[in-house]
Amino acid sequence: MIKIQMKTPLVEMDGDEMTRILWKMIKDELILPFVDLKTEYYDLGLLNRNATKDRVTVESAEATKRLGVAVKCATITPNKQRMEEYPELTEMWKSPNGTIRSIVGGTIFRTPVVIDSIKPVVKNWEKPITIARHGYGDVYRAVDMYTTEPGVATLTFKGESGEEKTLEVQKVKGPAVWQAAHNLESSIRGFAKSCFQYAIDTKQDLWFSTKDTIAKVYDGEFKKVFEEEFVNYKAKFDELGITYFYTLIDDAVARVIRSKGGYIWACKNYDGDVMSDMVSTAFGSLAMMTSVLVSPEGVYEFEAAHGTVTKHYYKHLKGEETSTNSVATIFAWVGALRKRGELDNLPELVEYANKLEQATFDTLNDGIMTKDLAGMVEEGYTATAVSSEGFIKAIRERLEKKIG
Ligand code: NAP
Ligand code: MG
């Protein structure tokens, strides 16, 4: 068989534990037999991050900016317990995702993978809801303090030109708590651009919500920047028949619950943190969630939203059978190969990625799934729980039929 050719390499970021095992199985069974895979390989496994003093993470992020598309395996973020588990670690290395996000920038889009046999808790949700979470500032970069006596707090900005602006926050008669938060116009603009671009890429409506009736200047700035940026995307939105819609966060929550799904909901940092957990839980499982970081310059990093599934890895090491869900990791590869195909104008590569995605859905719709899902199917559907390998083999059979 002639394999599908690639032009530009993908940035491949390998990872840890059970997801590293799945990573190899996915490549060997589902990709390498069909695609003449070109990647620039970075081993983000914990021991190699340690051996390279975490240079490898920085280099993989820089390669992502240079080549435009990356696919990342889940990785361990070391904590105290991991330092004991891996005594060779010379430092408690920072979260690779955090490092990559700070170099690449942009917005994280998370979308549940929906199948007929597993219904979301919200019965009227027919299509996935994608949460676009702003990744900078607000309460996550705020300062706060506690005071004990009567007094007054002010907020002062000192410009480099010498200009000063002061506001009175509040006069208090007793103990009080205080907080000062900020955001950057450039970051808000990048957030807006990523959201409009992602709506165009996925041909979905974009909703955006804040509380600008209360935070008139702060949230008002978000609303204004989105309106300003939308001017540059409106013609493309009209051409695709998609819409941009702004509403208050409380109105958005009510509309989301009553909706059929099938749109992107852009949220400020805190709202996105909370709402993405709500939406993913209501749809079922973290193992059925895709995640992509999109920078305002149009750089893409695809990953799974879950971790390295440590408990399953230790079973695997003992030679026991595992039933670990590889859907999110397969879909990270699908997303990356499809995007590479689109950017390099390789329709065969796009078609292959679509077939791999469809073969995965066909397998699930045939009731072949890993244990985490098999226990969740609705009455009237049958499900057979298979092993990690069994699931990937079942996808392989269906993929081969599609490719012919
Ligand atoms: P986790 O790996 O997501 O696993 C938590 C539990 O969720 C698992 O024990 C398993 O439950 C279930 N689960 C998650 N993914 C699954 C899958 N694909 N198939 C089947 N079940 C799945 O989270 P964690 O145990 O909190 O973290 C483990 C390591 O991952 C940590 O070192 C953390 O730093 C890292 N992490 C990495 C990322 C990332 O790179 N994006 C994200 C989060 C965490 P059962 O055991 O009940 O089957
Ligand atoms: Mg959270």
Side-chain angles (χ1 to χ4, degrees), residues 112-116 118-120 122-129 256-263 283:
V113 177
V114 183
I115 54 173
D116 288 344
I118 299 176
K119 295 275 178 260
V122 181
K123 292 292 174 198
N124 46 284
W125 286 356
E126 290 167 9
K127 291 183 192 161
I129 296 166
V256 164
I257 294 295
R258 286 195 307 263
S259 76
K260 290 191 157 64
Y263 50 86
F283 269 107

Side-chain angles (χ1 to χ4, degrees), residues 18-252:
M18 196 61 209
T19 40
R20 189 179 179 103
I21 307 288
L22 296 177
W23 194 260
K24 183 165 183 331
M25 282 186 207
I26 292 167
K27 279 175 69 181
D28 287 348
E29 286 289 328
L30 302 177
I31 301 173
L32 294 174
F34 309 101
V35 180
D36 195 4
L37 184 68
K38 273 194 190 167
T39 72
E40 225 175 74
Y41 179 86
Y42 294 86
D43 182 0
L44 301 198
L46 181 57
L47 294 179
N48 193 47
R49 274 181 277 145
N50 189 60
T52 61
K53 299 198 176 337
D54 212 22
R55 267 309 301 169
V56 66
T57 308
V58 174
E59 280 165 10
S60 73
E62 281 164 357
T64 304
K65 288 179 79 169
R66 173 166 44 83
L67 294 174
V69 185
V71 56
K72 181 181 172 290
C73 182
T75 45
I76 292 171
T77 299
N79 53 13
K80 248 179 96 186
Q81 188 198 332
R82 295 290 196 177
M83 300 300 283
E84 286 160 20
E85 187 182 350
Y86 295 90
E88 57 270 64
L89 292 187
T90 54
E91 235 180 84
M92 206 192 286
W93 303 106
K94 281 195 249 166
S95 151
N97 287 328
T99 303
I100 294 163
R101 281 172 203 157
S102 72
I103 294 171
V104 174
T107 305
I108 305 145
F109 297 88
R110 293 206 156 163
T111 310
V113 177
V114 183
I115 54 173
D116 288 344
S117 56
I118 299 176
K119 295 275 178 260
V121 174
V122 181
K123 292 292 174 198
N124 46 284
W125 286 356
E126 290 167 9
K127 291 183 192 161
I129 296 166
T130 297
I131 299 280
R133 174 184 170 187
H134 186 211
Y136 180 84
D138 303 350
V139 70
Y140 303 87
R141 292 275 179 110
V143 290
D144 47 11
M145 68 177 174
Y146 175 75
T147 56
T148 54
E149 59 171 321
V152 59
T154 59
L155 181 67
T156 302
F157 172 80
K158 289 184 183 159
E160 283 182 358
S161 69
E163 182 209 354
E164 261 194 41
K165 273 187 169 179
T166 297
L167 287 178
E168 182 179 307
V169 180
Q170 194 66 255
K171 278 196 186 80
V172 294
K173 296 195 169 104
V177 281
W178 310 89
Q179 183 175 67
H182 83 287
N183 219 300
L184 303 173
E185 213 232 35
S186 60
S187 176
I188 301 169
R189 205 167 287 283
F191 174 42
K193 285 182 181 166
S194 302
C195 290
F196 290 124
Q197 190 56 50
Y198 198 71
I200 289 168
D201 286 352
T202 60
K203 300 182 186 60
Q204 295 184 92
D205 292 346
L206 176 68
W207 298 16
F208 180 43
S209 57
T210 73
K211 191 73 179 176
D212 70 296
T213 45
I214 303 298
K216 288 191 170 59
V217 175
Y218 198 108
D219 285 14
E221 184 64 20
F222 279 78
K223 183 182 177 187
K224 189 184 104 213
V225 167
F226 267 68
E227 271 165 18
E228 284 167 8
E229 285 301 323
F230 183 53
V231 172
N232 304 317
Y233 297 88
K234 186 163 186 315
K236 193 73 195 169
F237 267 57
D238 289 346
E239 188 191 317
L240 294 173
I242 56 175
T243 55
Y244 167 60
F245 164 66
Y246 174 84
T247 189
L248 280 176
I249 179 88
D250 18 8
D251 179 51

Side-chain angles (χ1 to χ4, degrees), residues 6 13 24 51 63 78 91 142 165 170 274 287 299 347 354 359 380 391:
M6 292 179 65
M13 303 169 174
K24 183 165 183 331
E91 235 180 84
K165 273 187 169 179
Q170 194 66 255
V274 179
V299 168
N354 290 339
F391 182 64

Side-chain angles (χ1 to χ4, degrees), residues 72 74-75 77 82 97 287 306-312 324-325:
K72 181 181 172 290
T75 45
T77 299
R82 295 290 196 177
N97 287 328
H306 59 77
T308 58
V309 215
T310 311
K311 276 194 239 157
H312 296 211
T324 315
N325 190 333

Side-chain angles (χ1 to χ4, degrees), residues 296-352:
E297 299 81 31
V299 168
Y300 294 76
E301 185 236 330
F302 295 85
E303 54 161 17
H306 59 77
T308 58
V309 215
T310 311
K311 276 194 239 157
H312 296 211
Y313 179 59
Y314 281 98
K315 272 179 81 177
H316 170 83
L317 287 183
K318 280 195 267 169
E320 289 172 31
E321 188 179 272
T322 59
S323 183
T324 315
N325 190 333
S326 49
V327 170
T329 307
I330 294 171
F331 281 9
W333 277 100
V334 165
L337 289 166
R338 181 159 52 208
K339 180 52 72 182
R340 203 58 275 169
E342 285 166 7
L343 294 175
D344 290 348
N345 198 15
L346 296 170
E348 319 80 55
L349 189 61
V350 174
E351 200 187 322
Y352 158 80

